[in-house]
Amino acid sequence: MPAHWYRLELPMAEPLVTVLMLDSNRGSVGKEPWQAQLRWLDEELSKPRKSAWILCLAHNPLFSDGQHGDSADCSRPGAGF
């Protein structure tokens, strides 16, 4: 990982997919870096892209139908999602 959050274009020459990699460990990131990541995400989503698709990925699922359910951070008011 080059950073806690970053952008990939796949393939690089003529991108078909833009991938935004996120740090989903809100508790260990801290409030200010978390807010910086949200600002970065807003900026990335508003940029023009040549790719047909955009994906946001994180290690831990924010929303899940699995046994563990959604991330606790998602259900909190003002979570920023």
Side-chain angles (χ1 to χ4, degrees):
M1 288 183 10
H4 284 274
W5 53 88
Y6 55 96
R7 175 185 180 139
L8 296 171
E9 301 286 353
L10 302 171
M12 289 177 58
E14 294 183 34
L16 178 62
V17 178
T18 298
V19 181
L20 303 178
M21 301 296 293
L22 304 173
D23 186 343
S24 59
N25 294 316
R26 185 178 185 156
S28 64
V29 171
K31 185 177 180 177
E32 288 181 30
W34 186 261
Q35 292 302 317
Q37 178 178 224
L38 291 177
R39 286 190 300 275
W40 174 84
L41 180 59
D42 283 340
E43 290 170 8
E44 288 295 322
L45 292 172
S46 66
K47 286 181 180 178
R49 312 180 280 288
K50 294 180 181 178
S51 62
W53 298 90
I54 187 165
L55 301 173
C56 293
L57 302 176
H59 175 72
N60 301 309
L62 299 176
F63 304 101
S64 173
D65 287 336
Q67 178 179 354
H68 53 74
D70 294 345
S71 169
D73 290 329
C74 295
S75 61
R76 220 179 56 229
F81 299 102

